[in-house]
Amino acid sequence: MKLSELKTGERGVIVKVMGHGGFRKRIVEMGFIKGKVVDVLLNAPLQDPVKYKILGYEVSLRRSEADMIEVISVEEAAEIEKNRPKISEPLEKESDSLSDTQLRDAAMKKRRTINVALVGNPNCGKTSLFNFASGAHERVGNYSGVTVDAKTGHASFEGYDFNIVDLPGTYSLSAYSPEELYVRKEIIEHTPDVVINVIDASNIERNLYLTTQLIDMHLRMVCALNMFDETEKRGDNVDYAKLGELFGVPMIPTTFTTGRGVELLFHIIINMYEGLDFLDDKGNLDPEVAEGIRQWHEQYRKSEKEDAEHEEDFASGVKPKHNVFRHIHINHGPYVEEGIEAIQAVLKQENDLRHRYSTRYLAIKLLEKDKETEHLIVSSTSRAEEIFSVRDKAVADVQNYTHEDCETVIMDAKYGFIHGALQEAGYQTGNKKDTYQLTHLIDQIITNRYVGFPIFILMIWIMFEATFSLGQYPMGWIESGVEWIGTTIAGTMPSGPLKDMLIDGVIGGVGSVIVFLPQILILYFFISFMEDSGYMARAAFIMDKLMHKMGLHGKSFIPLIMGFGCNVPAVMATRTIESRRSRLITMMILPLMSCSARFPIYIMIIGTMFAQHIAPV
């Protein structure tokens, strides 16, 4: 529950402080530290602000601020204590109340649940990490947009429970496509405790653009340099420790298909989650927090394969080792920075915005004239006109001095920062082995202007020929089996309505549907094969121009082919199409793609409506 939900006279224990980094830091510095008991002393006459007592002194918070602090109430703590086999202190016989120690133990148990969001470019390996960590079996495809909504899984590691959310792949946090908008809303409205930014290490420069946008949001973040084995085979060189230092984010080499680096990744997440908010200006950790982290580390030290040094080591005492994480401001140039500061000055006067969002991130999005951010400002504050006026002046100044629009200037500055950081980290692409040699060779054949379309037609012909020709054999077996069951029941049961219902209704009805199951399964097998092999993306590439002539996007080919299997996932797959117009047209056409499940319906309608026109075969 939230601290704002406690009533006067009630008490609770701090579990965690939510919101963005700047707000969390200020609240923690006021004494709202995990595990501390807080009492509600007094509500103002208008119910806002509220006076609390914590660490022996009294402090007032607005309800909007208290709403960002998660606590555990006495009732919740008592419920947790009942479910524990042993408790640290027995309940007093004369009272059902819990001691402060028991309240703290219950709060610490609840705190050991970490909400993690996986964010990254399409095809960078987010779903592979999700499957490896949670034991789930989500679909891993070879084209963008496989994850079309958020998938949630759970994992346990070193005494902590992780709620892992696999977000759709996105190249940026701009509101150009449904994926980008969905990811941004998920991060802002359901701020995770830690963000794992999954980066394709073999295409690191392109992937780091999204990292710079996440840095603007002031989130606790760790970067997983996935597919690191491919960069090693290719002979790439990069000082990832130096790169992490420049970005202010830990960079962990990983290979999710084999599990390399995953344990270290989650170990560092726990260190960051428990320690980052409790560092003072000199980089020293709160002694009580440091002792708690040390005890946790000692408890699980034996389970580690190696006790090697790593980044974000908060278990080494009051002074953490290798502390890389820090909030940096990417310099977008003097004119853009002046505009950001001017907009921030107005935004910081709005408490609701200041507590829930990074004002720097909002200022950057306003300079980019992001429609969703403008809508947020209008709906969240009464000073929208003043904010937009300051923004418009800043945009005009940038335009006058740079002769470029703000969005272009900001984008160029981010890529300039990325390029400079990679140079300083000694990034070089190797040439030991072309890890994409086979892929490039196959691409030259299947996307060739002369043989590409014949191969495409051949693939589609094989898919449907196998579906309807090979499918006839199991269909005949199923039909014979259903007929045998019906005949057996007809010969053993006495005549009556129950017999008619079983034979004509249940067996006849179900049998007429499941007879088409082999065709559906064969069709799905071929669709899955084309997805996993990467041919689906290549087919969309060669079909793009033809699709455009019909008013569709090249990506429309993927949901249209999927429509032969089932229209429901096909409609969901249209979210990968950036253009809203093309997306709607594709969805309108999809019902015309007949999936196998419709065949029995067609047969029933034809047999009912056109029985008199049946011709002998």
Side-chain angles (χ1 to χ4, degrees):
M1 68 184 302
K2 305 297 177 58
L3 179 59
S4 59
E5 297 173 16
L6 290 179
K7 299 177 181 178
T8 302
E10 293 184 341
R11 62 174 15 198
V13 181
I14 307 296
V15 175
K16 67 176 74 170
V17 179
M18 297 174 288
H20 67 88
F23 171 77
R24 280 202 315 268
K25 187 75 173 174
R26 187 175 69 85
I27 292 295
V28 168
E29 288 173 349
M30 292 172 65
F32 289 85
I33 301 172
K34 60 180 180 179
K36 297 301 180 183
V37 178
V38 57
D39 296 284
V40 185
L41 298 181
L42 182 67
N43 276 267
L46 298 178
Q47 302 300 308
D48 201 8
V50 183
K51 184 191 289 187
Y52 300 97
K53 182 178 180 181
I54 188 168
L55 295 177
Y57 77 101
E58 299 174 359
V59 59
S60 295
L61 293 180
R62 293 188 178 90
R63 286 193 176 273
S64 60
E65 295 172 325
D67 195 47
M68 303 299 290
I69 302 173
E70 184 179 344
V71 299
I72 185 170
S73 66
V74 174
E75 291 77 12
E76 288 178 311
E79 188 65 29
I80 292 175
E81 287 292 311
K82 287 179 183 178
N83 296 329
R84 293 178 64 177
K86 292 182 180 180
I87 56 177
S88 55
E89 292 183 11
L91 291 176
E92 298 177 6
K93 293 182 180 179
E94 299 178 359
S95 173
D96 290 333
S97 63
L98 297 175
S99 67
D100 287 354
T101 303
Q102 289 173 317
L103 283 172
R104 185 182 183 281
D105 289 345
M108 290 298 97
K109 183 176 180 181
K110 186 175 181 180
R111 179 179 170 82
R112 288 200 167 192
T113 299
I114 305 177
N115 300 313
V116 176
L118 305 182
V119 182
N121 287 189
N123 293 334
C124 67
K126 297 184 309 301
T127 304
S128 296
L129 171 60
F130 179 82
N131 290 341
F132 185 89
S134 66
H137 300 284
E138 291 299 332
R139 189 157 52 105
V140 179
N142 200 7
Y143 64 96
S144 64
V146 172
T147 307
V148 292
D149 58 359
K151 304 289 192 303
T152 303
H154 305 280
S156 296
F157 181 70
E158 295 187 345
Y160 284 78
D161 294 324
F162 292 85
N163 295 326
I164 306 172
V165 180
D166 179 21
L167 296 174
T170 177
Y171 293 107
S172 73
L173 295 178
S174 303
Y176 293 135
S177 71
E179 283 77 23
E180 293 171 344
L181 186 57
Y182 184 88
V183 171
R184 198 168 79 180
K185 281 188 173 182
E186 187 72 18
I187 293 174
I188 290 175
E189 295 176 6
H190 306 95
T191 306
D193 296 317
V194 180
V195 170
I196 299 179
N197 178 206
V198 182
I199 295 173
D200 179 359
S202 61
N203 294 290
I204 192 168
E205 187 166 5
R206 183 194 69 182
N207 281 243
L208 284 172
Y209 181 76
L210 177 61
T211 307
T212 61
Q213 293 185 315
L214 292 169
I215 288 172
D216 291 335
M217 299 183 80
H218 202 173
L219 301 165
R220 274 184 298 220
M221 180 169 64
V222 58
C223 290
L225 299 177
N226 193 32
M227 308 182 197
F228 203 76
D229 56 333
E230 292 190 9
T231 66
E232 291 175 329
K233 292 176 183 176
R234 195 169 62 187
D236 290 6
N237 178 64
V238 63
D239 184 350
Y240 57 84
K242 181 66 175 178
L243 188 64
E245 182 183 331
L246 294 170
F247 274 82
V249 180
M251 301 272 182
I252 314 300
T254 58
T255 305
F256 295 148
T257 53
T258 62
R260 172 187 174 183
V262 174
E263 287 192 1
L264 177 60
L265 178 68
F266 281 91
H267 183 76
I268 289 176
I269 287 173
I270 295 172
N271 276 270
M272 293 174 62
Y273 172 72
E274 293 291 8
L276 279 180
D277 289 339
F278 307 102
L279 292 172
D280 60 20
D281 295 336
K282 296 181 180 179
N284 295 322
L285 195 59
D286 180 274
E288 185 177 342
V289 174
E291 178 60 22
I293 298 175
R294 188 195 65 78
Q295 291 177 2
W296 156 76
H297 190 268
E298 288 296 325
Q299 182 181 357
Y300 291 96
R301 180 190 295 271
K302 294 180 181 179
S303 66
E304 298 178 22
K305 294 180 180 178
E306 297 180 359
D307 196 20
E309 291 189 350
H310 58 78
E311 295 173 331
E312 307 302 324
D313 182 2
F314 286 84
S316 55
V318 176
K319 191 70 174 179
K321 290 182 180 178
H322 314 297
N323 181 213
V324 174
F325 186 87
R326 59 192 174 93
H327 180 53
I328 66 170
H329 286 178
I330 296 170
N331 193 324
H332 299 94
Y335 305 112
V336 173
E337 290 298 325
E338 286 177 10
I340 292 173
E341 290 177 6
I343 297 171
Q344 275 189 286
V346 185
L347 291 174
K348 286 180 179 178
Q349 299 176 31
E350 296 294 323
N351 290 324
D352 286 343
L353 289 174
R354 183 166 57 89
H355 298 157
R356 295 180 180 275
Y357 311 102
S358 165
T359 54
R360 180 175 176 84
Y361 168 76
L362 291 179
I364 291 172
K365 285 300 168 188
L366 285 171
L367 286 174
E368 293 176 345
K369 294 191 174 181
D370 184 273
K371 297 298 182 184
E372 290 296 322
T373 306
E374 290 177 353
H375 178 71
L376 172 67
I377 297 298
V378 171
S379 60
S380 302
T381 175
S382 58
R383 306 177 63 181
E385 290 187 7
E386 180 184 354
I387 294 171
F388 291 150
S389 175
V390 174
R391 187 275 309 270
D392 292 341
K393 181 180 181 303
V395 168
D397 289 343
V398 172
Q399 183 81 36
N400 290 335
Y401 289 111
T402 65
H403 305 292
E404 296 276 3
D405 61 90
C406 275
E407 192 170 10
T408 302
V409 174
I410 291 171
M411 189 182 302
D412 289 344
K414 288 186 184 299
Y415 272 113
F417 173 79
I418 293 168
H419 182 71
L422 287 173
Q423 273 193 328
E424 195 167 340
Y427 177 68
Q428 289 182 335
T429 304
N431 54 11
K432 286 183 181 179
K433 178 182 178 181
D434 184 2
T435 54
Y436 295 101
Q437 183 176 4
L438 180 61
T439 301
H440 293 157
L441 178 62
I442 295 173
D443 282 348
Q444 289 178 0
I445 298 172
I446 62 178
T447 61
N448 185 275
R449 61 183 301 181
Y450 299 110
V451 300
F453 280 103
I455 292 174
F456 168 74
I457 295 170
L458 178 64
M459 288 289 293
I460 299 299
W461 179 82
I462 291 174
M463 181 175 73
F464 286 106
E465 180 65 20
T467 299
F468 296 106
S469 296
L470 294 179
Q472 289 298 321
Y473 297 103
M475 285 177 68
W477 302 335
I478 294 174
E479 197 170 18
S480 300
V482 171
E483 185 179 351
W484 177 82
I485 293 173
T487 304
T488 303
I489 294 177
T492 55
M493 284 188 67
S495 299
L498 180 59
K499 177 181 178 180
D500 294 337
M501 183 188 72
L502 283 174
I503 296 175
D504 299 328
V506 177
I507 297 173
V510 173
S512 63
V513 174
I514 64 171
V515 73
F516 292 95
L517 184 62
Q519 290 184 341
I520 297 173
L521 294 177
I522 293 172
L523 186 61
Y524 263 106
F525 167 77
F526 276 95
I527 292 175
S528 299
F529 171 76
M530 288 196 293
E531 289 175 353
D532 294 339
S533 65
Y535 184 74
M536 188 77 85
R538 275 72 179 177
F541 174 75
I542 64 175
M543 291 291 291
D544 185 70
K545 187 172 183 179
L546 182 61
M547 288 290 180
H548 268 289
K549 290 184 180 295
M550 295 186 288
L552 296 172
H553 193 280
K555 287 185 178 179
S556 299
F557 168 79
I558 296 172
L560 290 177
I561 287 294
M562 292 179 69
F564 286 108
C566 181
N567 282 172
V568 175
V571 170
M572 294 175 66
T574 60
R575 293 180 60 174
T576 63
I577 303 171
E578 288 84 358
S579 168
R580 183 174 182 272
R581 178 178 175 274
S582 297
R583 194 162 59 247
L584 288 174
I585 293 175
T586 306
M587 285 190 284
M588 297 294 288
I589 293 175
L590 273 172
L592 303 178
M593 313 301 288
S594 295
C595 64
S596 300
R598 294 181 183 176
F599 292 153
I601 307 299
Y602 293 158
I603 293 171
M604 182 190 72
I605 294 174
I606 292 170
T608 303
M609 306 296 295
F610 307 103
Q612 67 273 22
H613 299 292
I614 293 177
V617 179

